[in-house]
Amino acid sequence: MSSNYINKVAIVGAGGRSGGPMATELLKTGRHTVTAITRHDSTAALPPGIKTTKVNYDDPATLVAALQGQDALIITMNTQAPPDTQSKLLRAAAEAGVPWVLPNEWSPDTTNPGLCQDVFIFAKAGAVREEIRELGVSSYLAVTTGFWYEWSLAIPDAFGFDFAKKTVTLFDEGETRMDISTWPQVGRAVAALLSLPIKAEGGEACLDHYRDGNVYVSSFCVSQREMLASVLRVTGDKESDWTIKKEKAVERFEAAREAMQKGDRSAFARWMYTRVFYPDGSGEFGKSKGLANGALKLPAESIDEATKAAMERARTNPYA
């Protein structure tokens, strides 16, 4: 890089739920050239103003060529993507000499031993970070956001809210708090992070401070009870208009795990989400690790506005 700032950013998944806001916010800064790395047969809609480079994941040379000259690579992808996809990107980034990589984290705290022990999908992130270190070329910035609020609140198996039936299942007493983020906040966090100087200038935050570490951001730290209070404010309902059930978090998690072992793939969301609601502080990473919200100058958000967005998704298509 010819300056103390990142200029050229490549992003995988720029047309996705989290990748789209990242690309949009990066373009808004006016200081980044953003290139979407897409499959050769992709028809995904992309934010206006973004460049596009098509690749073939079965031909590593196309990945290396696409990443030549890039200052940073952002990886966002579905958990159902082929398991070696991210590794192919990391190896190509190393061969192309990309200095910074933001791996496919965007999740609860994947450095938490309890979460990683109980939920294999969180444990995989540690192996990805280790692969980046072993390749020895790129530095990583692992952005920890918690679950996505608009996505998760809209899905009954996630946070326990069924808006169509006006039913909520509280895990334990519904008072365990967790850090979670909205998609716009994730986009702002990435754009702010990659707009920092690499080396410190005048005592301000810099990328070197976060090099090869996790960057913790969130929109809210809330419990199910606080989510319900927001839902009631948004709808004008009374609590008595809702059916409130309770289920022990540990029992819910174990039941979902047993269902998965018997082949019930629909139990995956119940299993993954419920573990973060254990009352062991694993979901409240801001309290244990600290947040970068201040250093990145992220705005405070309205949880009620985010709840409205989630309810609209639940009304139309929560999986879209």
Side-chain angles (χ1 to χ4, degrees), residues 2 6 9 15 22 27 29 31 33 73 137 141 148 151 156 182 229 258 261 263 272 279 287 314:
S2 59
I6 285 175
V9 180
M22 293 179 204
L27 289 166
T29 67
R31 62 171 61 185
T33 300
L73 167 64
V137 176
L141 301 164
W148 300 328
W151 170 266
T182 64
E258 289 177 12
Q261 290 172 344
M272 177 179 66
K287 185 175 181 180

Side-chain angles (χ1 to χ4, degrees), residues 15-37:
R17 302 180 190 95
S18 61
M22 293 179 204
T24 298
E25 292 295 329
L26 281 163
L27 289 166
K28 277 185 187 177
T29 67
R31 62 171 61 185
H32 299 100
T33 300
V34 184
T35 300
I37 307 296

Side-chain angles (χ1 to χ4, degrees), residues 14-237:
R17 302 180 190 95
S18 61
M22 293 179 204
T24 298
E25 292 295 329
L26 281 163
L27 289 166
K28 277 185 187 177
T29 67
R31 62 171 61 185
H32 299 100
T33 300
V34 184
T35 300
I37 307 296
T38 67
R39 294 181 182 276
H40 58 88
D41 57 350
S42 173
T43 58
L46 298 172
I50 196 170
K51 295 184 174 184
T52 304
T53 298
K54 293 188 177 291
V55 299
N56 181 351
Y57 281 89
D58 293 325
D59 182 358
T62 67
L63 297 176
V64 176
L67 294 174
Q68 289 286 352
Q70 296 293 333
D71 299 330
L73 167 64
I74 301 170
I75 303 174
T76 75
M77 61 177 63
N78 193 292
T79 57
Q80 296 179 352
D84 63 344
T85 303
Q86 183 160 215
S87 184
K88 289 179 178 179
L89 287 164
L90 297 178
R91 293 196 299 270
E95 187 171 340
V98 179
W100 297 91
V101 172
L102 282 68
N104 193 45
E105 294 253 350
W106 330 110
S107 68
D109 186 8
T110 59
T111 70
N112 182 281
L115 286 184
C116 292
Q117 178 178 319
D118 291 343
V119 182
F120 67 84
I121 196 169
F122 296 148
K124 289 181 178 180
V128 171
R129 295 191 293 267
E130 182 58 30
E131 182 175 3
I132 296 171
R133 286 190 288 264
E134 289 177 354
L135 287 168
V137 176
S138 308
S139 296
Y140 68 81
L141 301 164
V143 183
T144 299
T145 63
F147 290 122
W148 300 328
Y149 189 77
E150 308 96 320
W151 170 266
S152 304
L153 187 61
I155 300 172
D157 279 343
F159 287 166
F161 286 79
D162 189 326
F163 291 107
K165 297 178 180 178
K166 287 195 175 184
T167 299
V168 57
T169 300
L170 300 179
F171 314 145
D172 298 323
E173 295 298 318
E175 295 176 352
T176 299
R177 306 180 89 221
M178 64 164 58
D179 283 290
I180 50 182
S181 296
T182 64
W183 283 316
Q185 190 81 320
V186 173
R188 287 188 291 263
V190 169
L193 181 64
L194 294 186
S195 296
L196 293 176
I198 297 166
K199 303 289 183 184
E201 293 182 349
E204 294 186 358
C206 66
L207 286 181
D208 269 351
H209 176 73
Y210 299 109
R211 186 186 294 270
D212 293 335
N214 283 58
V215 185
Y216 295 91
V217 298
S218 79
S219 294
F220 322 109
C221 184
V222 292
S223 66
Q224 286 179 290
R225 286 281 186 187
E226 290 167 310
M227 295 178 203
L228 177 58
S230 177
V231 169
L232 297 181
R233 289 194 298 271
V234 167
T235 60
D237 288 345

